[in-house]
Amino acid sequence: MGMNVGSSGGDEDEVVSAINTTPLVDVMLVLLIIFLITIPVVTTSVPVSLPKESIEVRESKPENIIISVDQTGAIFWYDAKVPNTQALVGKLKTVSQMKPQPEVQIRGDRGANYDSVGKVVYACQRAGIAKLSFITEPPPRGG
């Protein structure tokens, strides 16, 4: 009895036309489980009314007080440098006595620390300023 190593018929030349769908089914089941876990997190979030961005063109009136904070944290009353926050509070107290009280506008440099701008806001609060606003640049168009 000999052993037959070669082909015994023509059976090996046939093309296998069945696709192995097991990996496809595994991937689909994993995706289904991921979606079942993440969708309830998105739909049951706390309802919050977010603010809308609006660009409001403001004209600076001559009676408005403009306080600027540069990148180093120095405070300027219009173009004159204010030595410290106590001097700023003193100037703001005289402004707060005016009838009607002018609006104080703060221009903070983008590179300035929040602490420097916060000191100006706190000085306005201590002096009794009722109307305070920030001067910013609008975002670039299309972005």
Side-chain angles (χ1 to χ4, degrees):
M1 292 209 347
M3 196 170 183
N4 191 1
V5 178
S7 63
S8 62
D11 293 338
E12 289 187 24
D13 292 339
E14 294 179 17
V15 176
V16 177
S17 62
I19 298 174
N20 186 4
T21 59
T22 305
L24 179 64
V25 171
D26 290 344
V27 168
M28 295 302 285
L29 286 174
V30 168
L31 288 175
L32 179 67
I33 291 170
I34 289 173
F35 286 133
L36 287 175
I37 291 172
T38 58
I39 286 177
V41 172
V42 174
T43 58
T44 60
S45 64
V46 177
V48 176
S49 177
L50 297 176
K52 304 290 185 234
E53 179 183 353
S54 64
I55 299 174
E56 182 179 323
V57 178
R58 298 183 59 98
E59 293 182 18
S60 183
K61 299 176 185 172
E63 63 267 10
N64 290 347
I65 308 298
I66 298 176
I67 300 173
S68 302
V69 180
D70 68 357
Q71 192 169 10
T72 62
I75 302 170
F76 294 88
W77 183 277
Y78 293 107
D79 291 330
K81 187 172 181 177
V82 179
N84 54 25
T85 55
Q86 292 296 8
L88 179 64
V89 170
K91 285 185 169 193
L92 288 171
K93 281 187 180 180
T94 59
V95 169
S96 68
Q97 302 302 321
M98 295 177 166
K99 299 289 181 197
Q101 192 180 84
E103 179 180 350
V104 174
Q105 298 177 344
I106 300 175
R107 296 176 61 235
D109 190 275
R110 181 181 306 187
N113 289 335
Y114 290 125
D115 185 46
S116 303
V117 177
K119 287 178 183 178
V120 174
V121 173
Y122 183 61
C124 292
Q125 181 183 6
R126 285 178 44 201
I129 299 295
K131 199 167 185 184
L132 180 70
S133 63
F134 290 94
I135 299 176
T136 60
E137 289 184 9
R141 291 197 178 266

